[in-house]
Structure formats: structure tokens, C-alpha cells
Amino acid sequence: MPVVARPAALPADGNGRAPRVTSAVAEYLRLVLDDAAAIEYEGPLVRARAAGADGGTLAELEDVRLLALQVRAAFEARRRRESELSALFDTASDLATLRGVDSVLTAIVRRARQLLGSDVSYLTLNDDAHGDTYMRVTDGSVSARFQALRLPMGAGLGGLVAQTAAPYATASYFTDPRFRHTDDINGGVREEGLVAILGVPLIRGPQVIGVLYAADRTVRTFDRSEVALLGSLAAHAAIAIDNARLLEETRTALEELSAATRELRAHTESVERAAGAHDRFIDVVLRGGGVDDVAAAVTDALGGRITVLDEEGRPTGGGDGATALPPDPAGALAMARSTGRTVRDGDWWTAAVTVDSDLLGGLVLQRAEELSDSDQRILERAALVTALLLLIRRTAGEAEGRVRGELLDELLTAPLRDPDGLRERARRLGADLDRPLSVVVVRVEERSRGRALAAAAHLAATRAGLAGQRDGRVVLCLPDLDAGAAAALVCRELTAAVGRPVT
């Protein structure tokens, strides 16, 4: 506001009489325009007395002075109100722009200190989990102890505000008996040097969630307008906190929804993989496929590398052509058999191939990524299909071996009543009775006889011969080999199969 020069004294009339009141009014208007201090409004009246003005003139000047001071006070109140409204508008803008709750609360506490002209302002929030109140934001504070205060519920001026949900002010904190003093709170307030404190509640719905304070280090009485202003800022602070809570709940809900969506998508993909693998397994069984076909279906569905194990946990050569074994394949296979579930050992996932309680082998999948429950079910279903195929092959082999054995037994014991019939039966089994044949009799321990007989049947089938059991011995009939070569071949193959020498 421009400064207007003031005359040194009020002008007098032409006869030297007292200054005119109208001239004094003009000077008081200049004082108002200059935003002069209240003490300067005494000047015109003092100069009028010095000039010898009469009592009526002095009374009029006094009225003008009081009126000028009232105008000055009105202007000052209006400026203060404009400043308060501007601060509230800025705070509302902060909330509208969805700024972070910490920055909004910091701005509110700082504005409270500026508008009320206090030494310190601060905000506390209730901690329902701990049952107390803690400092959230401070402005103007110099005491670390004060900034770290935690106040028991109901203690101090803030406790009174929280209990009554009404503002409270004290001109002298330590001598005020209206609230409960504690050593911890008094120590923090004393270290900060606070004397006069005003607190207003932060209310969300029916609940007080905190308190906003303005405090001075000297005795001070807070008027109603200051209480109302701090209450308005507290209302904005409560809105900011509530918005932050709602945003956090919304963010949490969105994260939960996203997680549920991802889980549903993953589940859907797993179901689709399982359905696709199931169809592949059915196709393998229906078209008479083998274990390698099952392994290929598993790797197509789950990725990784797969190896087929025998009942001892040794690779059978089946799978995708690459050997991928856990550190203890036999142990993993035994655990998978006992639990009936897939067993993980590092990057290896093992499923047992069983029929009833018999262990036929296992499937080992090497894959670093986690297998979901549905993916583990795919591997376990593959082991079940493998068991079915092995059982079918074993049953077929046993049936063929039984037929071969019956034919061999008949050749060795019965008279040749129907040579043509015997030749036809042998032809169906892939054997040719018109070729030179060698008969090999094998002695083997009883506990190994079943395995030896299975190996002999396999050897006979691959060599277009016959095999069976007679009088506790394993007997083979092999074509196109002399006796010595036939015996050496049989000993080598059956010794490898039973794991101990045969004769």
C-alpha cells in the first residue's frame, strides 16, 4: 500500500483557532491507508491538544480516532480472514489433487502454525493397536523427545480433547488442573518449552482419530476465531486421513482382485493343460503307444526334461533322450511311492509308477520352475498311464510267454501227433521249428527265477525262439546257434537280468 506523507500538524483557520475536524479526518484516513500502527492514531489528538483545541473539538477528534481504529481493525480482520480462506482453499486443493497423506498433513500443520502465529504446531493420531497416541507431524519443534512422544489415551490436553471430542485450550499448561498430567508428557512439553496449547479433535464419523495442536512458548489466550480456524484445518486433516484410508483400501482391493485374476488365469491355464494332457494320454493308450509317447506328452504340457526309471531308480533309456536325475533317485522314488504324490528334490520332480503296491518304476521331470498342484497332477496321471501301459505289456508278455512255454513243454514231452499244427502254432509266435535249434537249460536260484524267466522269454521272442519253465529250470529253444554259442548268449543275458551268475 503506498505511503502518503502526513503533515506535521493539523492546519488552523485564518484566525489561529483550533484545527478543523475535517482535516483530522483526512489524516486518520491517511493512517488507515498507510496501515499505520495503532499508537500513531494518538498523534492528531496530541497535536490538537498542544494547539489549544477546545473540549468539543477534542471530543470529536476522539470519536474520529476510535472510528478510524475500528476501520483499521475491520481491515485487519478481513485480511486475516482472506489469509485463512486462502489457506483453507490451498488445503482443499491439496486434497482434490490427491497428494500423499504425509505431504497434505505436513502442509496443514505448517499452515496452522503460520495462520495462528504460534511457535509450534503438531498433529497426533490414535494408534488403536497399541492403545495410545503418537506424534505424526510437527512444525517448529526443536526437541527430539517431544517429537517422539507417545501419549496414553486420556492423558494430557490431547487426551481431554479425544475424550470429549471438543477443542480445549490452556494459557498455562503446567498449572491447568483440567487434564491428567504424566511425567513423560510433562517432560516432553517442558523440553520443548511450551506453555500455551490449543488442541482440536480430528473426527471421522463418530470417532476421534487424532488431535491438531497450536502451541506457544509464552502465556497466550486463544480466541474463538483461532479455535474455529484450527478446527477447520483439523477437518481437512481428517478428510486427508480418511481419503488415504480409502485409497489404501481401494489399492488393497485392486491388488487382491489382480491376484485373484492372476490365480484364476493360472488355474484356467492349468485346467487347459491338464485337459490337453489327458486327451494325449487317452490317445496314447488307444493307439497302443509306449512309455516314450507318455513322456513326450508330459514335456509338451509341462516343459522340462523327463526320464523314465525302473523299480530300482535306474534310467531305462525312456523319456526325451536326456538323462535328468535327482541326487538320490531311488530315495525320491521310494518317497513318491509311500506318499502317492509327486516329490520335489531341487529341480527334479519324481512320480512313482505303481500297480497296487508293486513299484514298476518312476517318472522324473527336471524343471526349475515351481509345479502347481494341477501340474503335479499331470505328472502323477502320466505315471498312472505309464503303469497301465507297463501292466498291459507285462500281461501281454506273460500271456505270450505262457503260450511259448506251453508249446515248448509240449515239444519236449508229448509225442509229435500233429507236426503241422505245432509248426503253425510256432509260426504264430514267430518261431520256425524247421530251422536248426539248440536247447539251453538254465539253473537259477528260486528267488531270481521269475526275473530270469522274464528275461529268457524276452530273449526267445527277439531271437524267434521259445522259452519256458520245467522242473524248476528255465529252458530256452533258440534257432541258428550251436550249443556253445547258445549257452554263452543265455548265460550272459540272464546273468545281467538277475544280477548274479547263472549256469
Side-chain angles (χ1 to χ4, degrees):
M1 185 176 296
V3 177
V4 180
R6 292 189 295 274
L10 292 174
D13 59 16
N15 297 320
R17 290 182 302 213
R20 293 174 301 181
V21 174
T22 53
S23 298
V25 171
E27 185 170 359
Y28 278 120
L29 289 176
R30 293 190 187 96
L31 290 173
V32 173
L33 289 174
D34 290 349
D35 196 19
I39 191 63
E40 295 187 44
Y41 286 72
E42 298 289 341
L45 192 59
V46 170
R47 287 191 290 273
R49 287 195 186 97
D54 57 35
T57 301
L58 292 177
E60 290 185 43
L61 287 176
E62 178 65 17
D63 290 341
V64 173
R65 184 184 72 84
L66 293 176
L67 185 60
L69 286 174
Q70 290 175 5
V71 173
R72 175 182 180 275
F75 282 173
E76 184 176 349
R78 177 168 295 181
R79 283 196 299 270
R80 184 171 64 251
R81 184 59 179 164
E82 289 176 353
S83 178
E84 294 171 358
L85 291 175
S86 176
L88 293 176
F89 178 78
D90 291 342
T91 302
S93 297
D94 290 342
L95 295 176
T97 55
L98 297 179
R99 291 176 54 189
V101 63
D102 288 335
S103 60
V104 173
L105 294 181
T106 299
I108 289 173
V109 170
R110 183 177 299 115
R111 287 167 189 154
R113 181 187 175 204
Q114 293 171 349
L115 292 175
L116 272 70
S118 59
D119 296 324
V120 181
S121 59
Y122 52 101
L123 184 147
T124 62
L125 291 180
N126 296 345
D127 188 341
D128 295 331
H130 292 84
D132 60 4
T133 298
Y134 65 97
M135 289 285 184
R136 179 63 185 270
V137 183
T138 64
D139 190 68
S141 173
V142 295
S143 167
R145 177 181 179 183
F146 179 78
Q147 296 166 16
L149 271 182
R150 296 191 73 95
L151 291 69
M153 290 293 187
L157 182 143
L160 186 61
V161 173
Q163 283 182 334
T164 62
Y168 272 86
T170 178
S172 179
Y173 177 83
F174 294 101
T175 60
D176 197 324
R178 291 178 298 169
F179 41 83
R180 179 164 58 92
H181 292 266
T182 68
D183 293 339
D184 194 31
I185 299 175
N186 284 354
V189 173
R190 184 175 289 108
E191 186 171 302
E192 189 63 56
L194 301 181
V195 177
I197 303 176
L198 166 63
V200 296
L202 277 67
I203 300 176
R204 184 176 65 202
Q207 182 182 9
V208 177
I209 60 173
V211 179
L212 178 62
Y213 302 84
D216 267 12
R217 295 188 173 94
T218 56
V219 175
R220 171 180 176 178
T221 301
F222 294 94
D223 59 35
R224 291 184 178 180
S225 63
E226 291 172 328
V227 175
L229 173 61
L230 195 62
S232 298
L233 291 172
H236 282 85
I239 293 173
I241 294 169
D242 202 38
N243 285 349
R245 178 184 62 84
L246 293 174
L247 285 173
E248 183 62 29
E249 291 177 356
T250 302
R251 186 179 299 111
T252 301
L254 288 174
E255 290 175 354
E256 291 175 353
L257 180 60
S258 297
T261 302
R262 290 193 298 271
E263 185 176 347
L264 179 60
R265 185 180 297 113
H267 178 70
T268 302
E269 293 172 353
S270 296
V271 170
E272 291 175 352
R273 282 198 303 274
H278 182 70
D279 292 342
R280 286 282 301 274
F281 295 153
I282 292 177
D283 181 65
V284 168
V285 174
L286 292 179
R287 64 182 174 84
V291 175
D292 290 346
D293 297 315
V294 176
V298 173
T299 53
D300 287 346
L302 303 180
R305 296 187 300 167
I306 197 161
T307 301
V308 181
L309 305 179
D310 63 13
E311 64 271 21
E312 301 295 335
R314 297 170 299 193
T316 64
D320 58 7
T323 301
L325 297 178
D328 182 15
L333 189 58
M335 184 176 295
R337 176 190 183 186
S338 63
T339 61
R341 293 300 309 276
T342 299
V343 173
R344 182 179 188 180
D345 185 2
D347 293 344
W348 290 272
W349 304 79
T350 302
V353 177
T354 61
V355 174
D356 293 330
S357 59
D358 293 337
L359 179 65
L360 303 183
L363 299 179
V364 177
L365 177 68
Q366 184 183 29
R367 198 181 88 159
E369 296 83 4
E370 186 81 18
L371 281 183
S372 65
D373 287 344
S374 59
D375 289 342
Q376 292 182 43
R377 298 294 184 277
I378 292 175
L379 185 60
E380 292 163 6
R381 190 173 290 113
L384 181 62
V385 173
T386 300
L388 176 61
L389 294 178
L390 292 178
L391 181 61
I392 292 173
R393 189 172 69 182
R394 185 172 69 178
T395 302
E398 289 175 351
E400 183 179 346
R402 186 166 54 253
V403 172
R404 288 178 182 274
E406 291 173 353
L407 177 59
L408 178 61
D409 191 63
E410 190 171 343
L411 288 173
L412 296 176
T413 59
L416 297 180
R417 297 176 180 175
D418 185 9
D420 293 335
L422 292 175
R423 285 190 179 91
E424 179 60 22
R425 288 167 59 190
R427 185 188 65 77
R428 292 175 182 173
L429 294 174
D432 186 358
L433 298 183
D434 292 324
R435 295 162 62 184
L437 301 171
S438 296
V439 177
V440 181
V441 180
V442 182
R443 179 185 299 170
V444 65
E445 296 180 3
E446 184 177 356
R447 61 179 179 176
S448 302
R449 195 169 297 153
R451 188 178 299 174
L453 181 60
H458 177 70
L459 178 61
T462 58
R463 303 285 299 193
L466 301 172
Q469 181 175 339
R470 181 175 175 80
D471 297 333
R473 305 286 193 274
V474 176
V475 181
L476 293 92
C477 183
L478 302 177
D480 301 329
L481 291 173
D482 60 35
L489 174 64
V490 170
C491 284
R492 183 171 64 253
E493 295 293 331
L494 268 62
T495 295
V498 302
R500 61 186 69 248
V502 299
T503 59

